[in-house]
Amino acid sequence: MDEKNSLVESAATQTPTPATPTHKAIKKKSTIVKLVLIGVALLIGMIFAFVPMQFGLTNYHPFLSAESISLGLDLKGGVYAVYQATNTDTDNFETKMEGTRSALQSMLSDKGYTEATIVREGDSRIRVEVPDVDDPSEILRIIGQPTSVRFVLDESGETVITGENVVNADAGYDAQSGYVVRLVLDAEGRKKFADATAANIDKTMSIYLGDSEKPISSPTINSAIPNGEAIITGFASYEDAQERAGQIMSGTFDVSLELKESNTISPTLGENAMFYGLIAGVVGFVLVIAFLCAVYRLLGVAASFALLIYLVLYLFFLAALPWVQLTLPGIAGILLSIGMAVDANIVIFERIKDEYREGKSIMAAYHAGFKKALFAILDSNVTTVIACILLMLLGTGSVGGFALTLLVGVIISLFTALVVSRLIVKYFINLNSYNAKLYNLKRGKNYVGLSADATDSAILAEMEREAAKKEEAKQEKERAKQARKLKPDNGGESA
C-alpha cells in the first residue's frame, strides 16, 4: 500500500517534460498548405481585379476599370453648373433648398443621368455635376433656367396652378397626337385644374416662366381634365417636347435659382489624370514593397502579401459600393490610405524588433509586438476615421470623394494589418522560428548569446495551459447547464 501511495505521489509531483523546440514541434506541412491557399486566393483576386475576361457572350470587367468604378467629372469629363438661390429671405429656406436639390437630382435621374452629382455649396448655392456627357449643352437644356412657373387662363388672367402643383413633366409619344408633354399634378393642383378646364373648354391657358410676359406655350383646353394628368400636344419632335418638359420642371423647385457659372471639362484631362495617377500608384506600391522586404526581410514579405490582399479588397469595394465615385482627389485618398496601411505594419514590426532585442524569442516577440502595437494603431486610425466622417458630412464635391476613398481604405487597412499580416507572419514563424537573420532581428547587448527560440518551449507550454483552462471552463459550463436541466422541480403539490 505504501509503495502504491509513493508511486502516486511521485507521478503527481514530477517535473513536466520540457516541450520540444518550436521548429521541430510545428506541423510545417499544414502551415505550407495554408500559405499556398492564401497565395492561390490572392492570385484569383488579382485576376478578377485587373484582367478583363469573357464568359460566353458576357464580358467581365475587372474591378479596376471605368465600367466597374464610377468616375467623377474630373476623370471622365462632362459638364458642371452652379446655381444661386435668389429668394434667400423666404420662410423655411433651408428645407426648401434641400427640396430643390432633391428635385434636381430626381430630374436628372429620370432623364437617364444616374451618375449626376448635385451638392450644396455654402448656404445658397447648388452645384450640378454630370460626368460622361457627349453633348454638355443638353444637360443645361434639361435643367433649364430654374425659375417659377405659372399656368394662367388667357381670358381672365387668373393663375390656376404653379410649379408647386406639378409633380412631374416629361416628353413622350402618343399614337393620335404625336410628340407630347405629359403633366402629373398633386392633389391640390388636380382639383384646381379640373375646375378651371371644365369651365374654360376651347379657351387657351398659357404657361409663363418667372416674370416673363411671353409664354413658353399657350395650349387650347379641349376637354375637362379631372384626374390631374394632362398632355400638351403640337410638338414637331421629341427634342422639342423634352425641352418644354424641362422648362416646366424648372419651375417646380421650392426656391428660384439663377445660373451663376457653367463649363465643360474635356475627358482628355481626365484620361491623363487617371493614367498618371495609376503610374504614381504602381511606382509607389513597388517602392514600398521593396523597402519593406529590404528592411524587414521575411516580415516585409508577409506585409507585401498583406498589401496585395489589401489592394484587391480595396478595388473590390470601390467597384461594389454604389455611392463611391472616383475623382482625382479620390485617387489621392487611395494613395494616402496605402501609406497608412504600410505605416501600421511598420509600427508592428518595429515593436517586434524591440521585444526581440530585449531577450524574447522570435515567437514571443511576435505575440508581444502585435499585442502592444494594437492600441497605437487603433488610436491613430480612429482619429483619421473621425476626420473622414467630418469631411464627408461638411465637405462638398471632390472633398467628399477624397474623404470617402480614404475612409474605405483606412478600414480595410486595419483589417489587413491586424488580421491578414498577423496570420501570414505567424505562418512564416511556424516555418522558421530559430533564424533571426531571416527577419532582420538583432539581440541587445545583454542578450547576445541567447538563441532565437530560447523561450519558445515555455511559450508553447503556456499556450497549452491556457487552452486547457479554456476547455475546462467550457466543460464546467456544460456540466452546470446539464445539472440545471436534471434538477427536479420543487414547485407544485407534493405527491
Side-chain angles (χ1 to χ4, degrees):
M1 181 68 68
D2 292 341
E3 183 178 357
K4 182 178 180 181
N5 289 340
S6 177
L7 286 171
V8 172
E9 287 181 20
S10 176
T13 59
Q14 69 181 21
T15 303
T17 304
T20 309
T22 308
H23 58 277
K24 295 181 180 179
I26 294 298
K27 295 180 179 179
K28 293 187 177 181
K29 287 185 179 180
S30 63
T31 299
I32 293 173
V33 170
K34 292 175 182 176
L35 286 173
V36 170
L37 290 176
I38 291 175
V40 171
L42 175 59
L43 179 61
I44 294 173
M46 296 286 283
I47 291 173
F48 278 98
F50 298 104
V51 181
M53 292 176 284
Q54 185 171 359
F55 302 98
L57 299 177
T58 303
N59 291 323
Y60 169 77
H61 301 291
F63 304 152
L64 186 62
S65 65
E67 292 80 8
S68 298
I69 299 178
S70 176
L71 300 180
L73 188 67
D74 53 355
L75 296 179
K76 209 170 186 179
V79 61
Y80 77 90
V82 179
Y83 293 93
Q84 171 76 48
T86 58
N87 53 337
T88 57
D89 56 345
T90 183
D91 294 335
N92 300 320
F93 175 73
E94 183 67 24
T95 302
K96 291 182 177 180
M97 277 293 288
E98 186 57 33
T100 301
R101 187 204 65 77
S102 179
L104 277 169
Q105 183 79 64
S106 299
M107 177 194 295
L108 290 172
S109 296
D110 292 342
K111 302 301 181 183
Y113 299 97
T114 56
E115 293 184 0
T117 302
I118 294 88
V119 295
R120 298 273 301 276
E121 281 192 349
D123 295 330
S124 58
R125 287 196 173 197
I126 294 178
R127 183 183 182 90
V128 180
E129 295 182 352
V130 188
D132 196 25
V133 178
D134 295 329
D135 182 11
S137 61
E138 177 66 19
I139 302 300
L140 298 178
R141 283 199 299 269
I142 291 174
I143 298 175
Q145 178 66 39
T147 183
S148 61
V149 64
R150 297 172 289 125
F151 289 72
V152 180
L153 291 170
D154 288 345
E155 185 174 285
S156 64
E158 175 192 357
T159 298
V160 180
I161 60 173
T162 65
E164 294 180 356
N165 303 120
V166 180
V167 175
N168 191 34
D170 60 1
Y173 183 82
D174 184 80
Q176 295 180 344
S177 305
Y179 297 105
V180 299
V181 171
R182 295 188 179 92
L183 298 177
V184 179
L185 309 178
D186 63 8
E188 180 184 359
R190 180 168 61 246
K191 185 178 184 308
K192 292 180 178 179
F193 211 68
D195 295 340
T197 54
N200 293 276
I201 296 176
D202 293 331
K203 298 178 181 178
T204 58
M205 178 185 291
S206 295
I207 304 172
Y208 293 89
L209 292 181
D211 299 328
S212 174
E213 296 181 359
K214 182 179 180 180
I216 60 171
S217 181
S218 297
T220 301
I221 302 172
N222 294 327
S223 63
I225 304 173
N227 60 359
E229 296 183 5
I231 61 172
I232 303 174
T233 62
F235 297 99
S237 65
Y238 179 83
E239 288 72 20
D240 290 341
Q242 189 177 45
E243 181 178 359
R244 189 60 44 80
Q247 289 176 318
I248 294 173
M249 285 300 293
S250 72
T252 64
F253 303 133
D254 294 332
V255 296
S256 298
L257 297 176
E258 178 183 0
L259 181 64
K260 285 293 184 181
E261 180 185 355
S262 66
N263 207 341
T264 59
I265 294 180
S266 170
T268 305
L269 174 63
E271 289 173 359
N272 292 338
M274 189 72 171
F275 176 73
Y276 289 117
L278 287 174
I279 290 180
V282 170
V283 172
F285 201 80
V286 171
L287 290 176
V288 164
I289 288 179
F291 169 81
L292 288 173
C293 294
V295 175
Y296 299 104
R297 299 182 187 175
L298 268 186
L299 294 177
V301 173
S304 300
F305 274 108
L307 283 177
L308 288 172
I309 294 173
Y310 161 83
L311 182 61
V312 172
L313 289 175
Y314 199 0
L315 293 176
F316 168 76
F317 280 102
L318 289 178
L321 296 177
W323 55 84
V324 173
Q325 189 176 70
L326 191 60
T327 61
L328 195 57
I331 293 177
I334 293 174
L335 298 179
L336 181 58
S337 61
I338 291 175
M340 296 191 67
V342 174
D343 179 65
N345 284 279
I346 290 176
V347 170
I348 293 169
F349 296 161
E350 287 297 326
R351 192 69 197 189
I352 291 175
K353 291 174 71 173
D354 290 341
E355 296 296 326
Y356 183 81
R357 189 181 299 112
E358 294 301 319
K360 287 186 172 66
S361 67
I362 294 178
M363 181 181 288
Y366 152 76
H367 285 288
F370 272 93
K371 183 177 181 180
K372 293 181 179 180
L374 174 63
F375 291 105
I377 294 172
L378 287 178
D379 287 345
S380 63
N381 282 274
V382 164
T383 54
T384 304
V385 167
I386 294 173
C388 290
I389 293 174
L390 290 175
L391 284 174
M392 290 173 60
L393 293 176
L394 303 177
T396 58
S398 57
V399 174
F402 167 79
L404 182 57
T405 54
L406 181 58
L407 176 63
V408 174
V410 168
I411 294 174
I412 298 174
S413 71
L414 274 175
F415 169 75
T416 54
L418 300 178
V419 178
V420 179
S421 287
R422 184 165 191 164
L423 280 178
I424 299 176
V425 171
K426 176 184 176 182
Y427 295 150
F428 281 174
I429 293 177
N430 285 349
L431 291 176
N432 192 313
S433 64
Y434 50 88
N435 190 346
K437 291 183 179 179
L438 289 176
Y439 309 97
N440 199 21
L441 300 176
K442 298 179 181 179
R443 291 292 192 193
K445 293 181 179 180
N446 298 332
Y447 304 97
V448 174
L450 194 62
S451 64
D453 59 347
T455 59
D456 284 356
S457 59
I459 293 171
L460 287 176
E462 179 64 26
M463 292 172 64
E464 290 174 0
R465 284 195 294 271
E466 289 181 1
K469 287 180 181 179
K470 290 181 180 179
E471 183 64 27
E472 178 62 28
K474 183 178 179 182
Q475 292 179 1
E476 182 63 29
K477 187 176 181 180
E478 185 65 27
R479 286 195 293 267
K481 184 178 179 181
Q482 293 296 329
R484 285 194 298 271
K485 287 183 178 180
L486 295 176
K487 185 178 181 180
D489 187 3
N490 294 327
E493 298 181 359
S494 58

